[in-house]
Amino acid sequence: MNENTATKGDIFSLLEGRGRITKQQGEIAQKRMKREGIPAHQSLIELDCCPQDEIYKALSECTGLPLISLHKINIEEDAKKCISAKTAIHYKFVPLKLKQNTLEAAFSTPPSMRVLENLRLLVGKRIEPLLATSHEINMTLKSVYGLGAETVIKIRESKIAERLQSREIRYSSAGGDIKVDDESVPIISLVNQILIDALEMAATDIHIEPFQDSVKLRYRIDGMLQDIPVPDGVRKFHEAITSRLKIMADLNIAERRLPHDGRISVKAGTEEFDLRISIMPSRFGETICLRILNRKTVFLSMSDLGLEDSDLRILQKLIDLPHGIILVTGPTGSGKTTTLYAALAKIADSRKDRKIITVEDPVEYEMQGVSQIQMHSQIGLTFASGLRSILRHDPDIILVGEIRDSETAEIAIRSSLTGHLVFSTLHTNDSVGAVNRLIDMGVEPYLLASSLVACIAQRLVRRICPNCKVLDENITPHIRTEISHFLGVRPEEVKAWKGAGCAKCNSTGYKGRLAIYEIFLLDEEIQDLAAAHAASSELRRAARQKGMKTLREDGWIKLSRGLTSIEEVSRITGNFLISYDMGEKGDDKKI
């Protein structure tokens, strides 16, 4: 059945009758279909006038082909073996199951009789077509045959493959972009596919790791690393991929023995990205890590950070202080920079009478109205030396990217004591631990007590996918009691949700992330304890008595609103609750 003719009018009238598209949208889609020679459903998808799922439901009714969800189906190995990657990618279909002399296969576009006959001759079996959305087909093809399989196939089939297998890839220029010629185009295409796929999946990091006979490609999505299948044979192109990325970052392609760090600017459509590239030599070649920085997503307003109303009011009061130090703590990738930039953006927008200077390594995002200084430790421009110079420029507010050593800590403290408001980050497990961490660095307790006004700890937890969100029926008694005690409700009233897994969240049950916070305020009583070098446990106890909410408790608030799951809160905060008796009792419950 030819979908172009079979559904030319039917799918438009069906969707219009259901109120999914207007008559005008239907007419525009039909004109687009005729002008560009594309299927009816494709013209509707490109017009973006109706959800893809609804379009495919209507298409299924018009063609009589059953609509299936590929993420719920296990693809048989025998079915995969009887279809080559080249054939599956060319005809945009996924082999599913072998039934005697019939191959069951899912197509994104209803195949014509000619296509079915061609496939029957190629495979030697009758094809039984089913329907799946183009998004699911594309994702499944990547999963089955590997990312960039089509490009790798082209490279293999051409004589270029023989030249690219050599030990060293040479280019006419070591600066700027790769010269576009017959030899470099396939590698450029492969690297572009890796980057575009990562951007589409909202990845924050790309890891390309070579091993003896293979290359592992992994994306960090919502804080978790996910394996991305790659086609066989990518290992022989690893050095070409590395050279391509080095030249994009203006690095020395001939040096393979030393680590490299660089930066690449990327524009995808209307969005601009910065890629921070780190290359390290390993046993089987150079391993690559790309950190993806979206210039737009960092600029969240303070109200979009995920702070509870009471915490938001506290933070707004803190940024209006005339002097003092405000620290944001947490591990790498916990959103500290986003929180600090949101605070600075609020100040820059509302307080035009204040001068803001930042000293960062590196400067991740450009901010209008803020003087930003990039560190260059090789030439002696460190956080400490930069901070000394900043003080001569009459700033009101200073952002120090990170307090790494005693010298930086001491200058930051003295800056706050001379009438500056200082923001910075510190790597500690919680907010209270920042006090003794700074004292351990060599800061005098009495100086710290008189300058530090607040420590904010934060973590990122994954959001439940709204498309497959369901009630969590398996809440353990221990967790139920803990949540009910904190929220002040009866245990039977505690409700939690989780993600069942769907195509939109790549079957993970999660889509996106949000922050949980812990704000530790140093009032006079706690400042006295800090000056006396009190233990962290004593400082925490005093803060808890004054109403400090922990990271875990903020997580339970997000849980009660259906934003995240018990699994996520336990994963991020459970390490604070590990005890010896768990092993004795054989307790393997979520903590």
Side-chain angles (χ1 to χ4, degrees), residues 279-433:
I279 300 176
M280 292 281 290
S282 68
R283 184 182 175 191
F284 297 110
E286 292 174 293
T287 181
I288 304 165
C289 177
L290 291 163
R291 166 66 59 89
I292 302 172
L293 303 171
N294 188 332
R295 294 181 186 175
K296 292 183 179 178
T297 55
V298 73
F299 291 113
L300 297 176
S301 66
M302 281 175 53
S303 57
D304 294 330
L305 290 174
L307 289 158
E308 297 302 309
D309 290 342
S310 58
D311 292 340
L312 180 59
R313 286 192 292 271
I314 290 171
L315 184 55
Q316 287 173 333
K317 292 288 185 184
L318 288 172
I319 66 174
D320 284 333
L321 291 174
H323 55 80
I325 292 183
I326 299 169
L327 292 177
V328 181
T329 73
T332 302
S334 59
K336 300 187 298 294
T337 302
T338 302
T339 297
L340 286 173
Y341 270 73
L344 288 184
K346 174 71 174 177
I347 298 169
D349 185 56
S350 60
R351 296 295 302 271
K352 304 292 185 183
D353 58 338
R354 287 188 165 192
K355 179 171 181 176
I356 305 171
I357 303 181
T358 74
V359 52
E360 306 169 69
D361 185 21
V363 175
E364 294 187 2
Y365 307 98
E366 297 174 6
M367 289 189 70
Q368 290 293 326
V370 176
S371 299
Q372 295 172 281
I373 300 172
Q374 167 75 54
M375 291 299 90
H376 290 289
S377 56
Q378 297 89 344
I379 59 172
L381 181 53
T382 63
F383 280 123
S385 62
L387 199 46
R388 285 195 188 94
S389 300
I390 282 174
L391 294 175
R392 302 188 194 106
H393 275 256
D394 187 31
D396 296 291
I397 295 165
I398 301 169
L399 167 65
V400 183
E402 183 184 344
I403 294 179
R404 296 176 179 172
D405 51 47
S406 58
E407 188 181 11
T408 307
E410 186 177 345
I411 299 171
I413 295 287
R414 296 193 181 279
S415 300
S416 69
L417 293 173
T418 54
H420 303 91
L421 183 61
V422 180
F423 293 91
S424 191
T425 67
L426 195 65
H427 288 285
T428 59
N429 287 331
D430 60 2
S431 58
V432 179

Side-chain angles (χ1 to χ4, degrees), residues 186-227:
I187 294 301
I188 291 174
S189 179
L190 183 57
V191 171
N192 286 349
Q193 280 182 273
I194 292 171
L195 296 179
I196 290 168
D197 195 60
L199 295 176
E200 287 178 350
M201 295 177 73
T204 56
D205 299 85
I206 302 170
H207 294 262
I208 305 173
E209 302 158 302
F211 296 95
Q212 188 168 7
D213 300 315
S214 63
V215 170
K216 179 178 279 190
L217 174 64
R218 295 192 289 178
Y219 295 160
R220 190 175 294 280
I221 302 170
D222 295 335
M224 307 293 282
L225 278 175
Q226 294 185 19
D227 282 325

Side-chain angles (χ1 to χ4, degrees), residues 248-249 263-267 272-276 295:
M248 289 171 71
R263 196 178 184 118
I264 303 169
S265 294
V266 176
K267 190 169 184 180
E272 292 184 351
F273 299 86
D274 284 328
L275 302 179
R276 271 167 42 192
R295 294 181 186 175

Side-chain angles (χ1 to χ4, degrees), residues 102-153:
T102 301
L103 174 66
E104 196 176 88
F107 292 79
S108 60
T109 297
S112 64
M113 291 303 297
R114 182 180 176 182
V115 167
L116 292 175
E117 183 61 21
N118 287 345
L119 287 173
R120 187 186 68 79
L121 293 171
L122 280 170
V123 181
K125 300 181 185 300
R126 191 177 70 85
I127 307 296
E128 183 181 321
L130 302 171
L131 204 57
T133 65
S134 57
H135 173 75
E136 282 197 306
I137 292 288
N138 290 334
M139 293 300 292
T140 308
L141 284 173
K142 288 175 187 176
S143 175
V144 173
Y145 299 109
L147 176 67
E150 188 172 6
T151 304
V152 172
I153 290 167

